[in-house]
Amino acid sequence: MKTLTLHMGLPKTGTTTLQKSVFPNWEGYLGGQSLDVQTDTVRHALDLYLVSAGKGPESHRNVSNRHWRKSAENFLGSIASQSCDQLFLSAELFSSWIVPTPGWGNWEWPLEEPKREFKPRIGPHPFVAFAEALSSVSHEFKLKVVITLRRQDQFLLSLYTHLFGLWGRSINQRDFHRRVLRLLDSGDQYLLWDSLIRSLHEVLGRDAVLVCIFEDGVEAVASNIHSFLFDRTTLFSGLPSLNSRTREGYKMAPRGSVAEAVWKLGRSVWPKDVASRLRLNLGALLGHPEQRLLSIGMQERDRRGARRFIPKPATIRAISDYCAESNQNLGLLINRPTWTAF
């Protein structure tokens, strides 16, 4: 029986580095989420997840819909002809908690301002029902899952900088503290990693779930994933050398004002809400200029955020207290120490 492994992030745990510099060198890789490496296979898998989890509070029932099951069977059939027995794809959107809407669902990450009435993420992660349903129709495949976790305060800080630090938007202690307290006071369960891992163990089995820890380092994470996917006697060749002065091969912007001007020009040429598939195909022919522009802005944002923003100690303590019991339970589930009080 073949194996299909879904690498679900988390975001800000080296996922993009793995997708662009490591996974393409491994046999059986079906593609990643980044626009310039995204394949139809990945888009199909993400569509299945979105539909399964995005149609109301009883969204887990959508996976029993015959149209969804037929689409899932078509997806699995499209990859069944691959010669490799160990297939895998990577998309951090699998770790997002989809907020149901009348027709579809919205990807929403912690700390984002809700597009509608704020509803905390409570209950099983929608990916669990998706994984269970996909496993039930994948008669030719054994489904496995890989997830990389990160200490919650550092995860939120990095995610906050990523979401809100682009092009000079104000990121500061007060705003970060406000968003964190709103998240914690609501009882939101996204940061309680033990609940997700326990549910995946129940649905897929312990041997089908690999939990990596970001603080071990990207190379250690890549090595663990390699051992999980392939025979442990197969040696991991290590990470390729990366130029520290570039991000994903593109030069850094010299100044924030220049990066902002380039970004605005790029958005006017490549609107995201118009003919997205045509935009991607044309971008591929032109060498993905929109990715080059975006990369310039991302580098400038990361430099600005790292230089100017330090969270309040009270914010870190609040996150630590909220996640302490969950982290202790997580350590028991994966048989290794996790994060103590931050």
Side-chain angles (χ1 to χ4, degrees):
M1 176 178 289
K2 294 186 176 183
T3 299
L4 173 62
T5 302
L6 305 180
H7 174 239
M8 57 184 297
L10 296 173
K12 314 313 296 179
T13 60
T15 304
T16 302
T17 297
L18 294 173
Q19 289 176 354
K20 292 192 172 184
S21 302
V22 179
F23 291 161
N25 300 317
W26 296 356
E27 186 180 7
Y29 182 50
L30 300 175
Q33 180 185 316
S34 299
L35 287 178
D36 53 344
V37 296
Q38 193 175 101
T39 63
D40 287 336
T41 300
V42 174
R43 282 190 285 270
H44 195 168
L46 290 174
D47 285 345
L48 287 173
Y49 178 45
L50 180 65
V51 172
S52 73
K55 292 189 175 179
E58 301 298 325
S59 57
H60 61 280
R61 295 181 181 175
N62 292 337
V63 295
S64 62
N65 182 288
R66 63 185 180 88
H67 296 294
W68 185 92
R69 295 181 67 86
K70 182 63 175 178
S71 182
E73 291 171 354
N74 290 340
F75 163 70
L76 295 168
S78 68
I79 63 176
S81 60
Q82 297 281 339
S83 59
C84 182
D85 290 337
Q86 305 291 336
L87 303 177
F88 68 106
L89 56 85
S90 175
E92 62 189 24
L93 283 179
F94 284 134
S95 64
S96 68
W97 201 300
I98 299 176
V99 178
T101 60
W104 287 79
N106 288 323
W107 316 107
E108 285 190 6
W109 299 106
L111 306 183
E112 283 190 292
E113 297 287 358
K115 299 178 178 62
R116 295 173 175 80
E117 179 185 357
F118 177 70
K119 295 181 180 180
R121 303 162 184 84
I122 296 177
H125 194 294
F127 180 81
V128 175
F130 167 74
E132 183 177 22
L134 189 62
S135 180
S136 70
V137 299
S138 57
H139 307 298
E140 299 182 39
F141 293 92
K142 175 179 174 59
L143 186 67
K144 292 185 176 182
V145 170
V146 173
I147 183 170
T148 303
L149 302 178
R150 184 175 184 178
R151 204 178 84 173
Q152 288 92 337
D153 63 324
Q154 295 300 316
F155 168 74
L156 287 180
L157 179 59
S158 183
L159 189 65
Y160 174 77
T161 304
H162 177 88
L163 292 173
F164 307 110
L166 195 59
W167 312 127
R169 292 176 60 182
S170 176
I171 56 174
N172 54 70
Q173 288 182 336
R174 180 178 299 179
D175 183 55
F176 182 64
H177 187 74
R178 176 186 65 84
R179 291 174 184 271
V180 167
L181 290 188
R182 185 192 66 180
L183 182 74
L184 304 185
D185 290 344
S186 71
D188 193 287
Q189 296 181 354
Y190 187 91
L191 298 175
L192 306 183
W193 308 141
D194 68 314
S195 177
L196 171 60
I197 302 306
R198 184 182 297 106
S199 298
L200 289 174
H201 282 175
E202 293 172 355
V203 168
L204 301 177
R206 283 178 173 268
D207 64 333
V209 181
L210 173 66
V211 179
C212 300
I213 302 298
F214 174 74
E215 284 77 7
D216 291 342
V218 176
E219 185 162 3
V221 169
S223 179
N224 290 337
I225 296 174
H226 188 274
S227 298
F228 183 70
L229 292 173
F230 308 105
D231 191 319
R232 292 184 180 272
T233 60
T234 304
L235 295 178
F236 173 60
S237 58
L239 294 176
S241 59
L242 300 176
N243 187 342
S244 61
R245 293 184 57 82
T246 63
R247 178 184 178 90
E248 299 162 7
Y250 303 131
K251 293 184 178 180
M252 293 162 43
R255 292 183 298 128
S257 58
V258 174
E260 184 173 4
V262 171
W263 166 255
K264 289 180 178 179
L265 175 62
R267 286 304 299 269
S268 66
V269 176
W270 303 99
K272 286 192 172 184
D273 56 343
V274 178
S276 59
R277 182 61 63 85
L278 177 61
R279 176 175 58 84
L280 287 174
N281 292 339
L282 183 58
L285 292 175
L286 299 177
H288 285 291
E290 80 282 14
Q291 287 299 300
R292 298 171 186 266
L293 299 175
L294 179 60
S295 199
I296 291 173
M298 290 174 67
Q299 182 66 51
E300 182 67 15
R301 174 204 59 206
D302 291 345
R303 285 200 306 170
R304 184 187 301 115
R307 183 172 64 247
R308 298 183 182 177
F309 179 60
I310 300 175
K312 295 180 179 180
T315 311
I316 304 303
R317 286 196 301 270
I319 300 171
S320 174
D321 294 343
Y322 189 80
C323 300
E325 182 178 355
S326 173
N327 289 342
Q328 184 177 5
N329 294 335
L330 175 65
L332 297 176
L333 287 171
I334 64 177
N335 298 316
R336 63 161 289 175
T338 56
W339 312 277
T340 55
F342 308 159

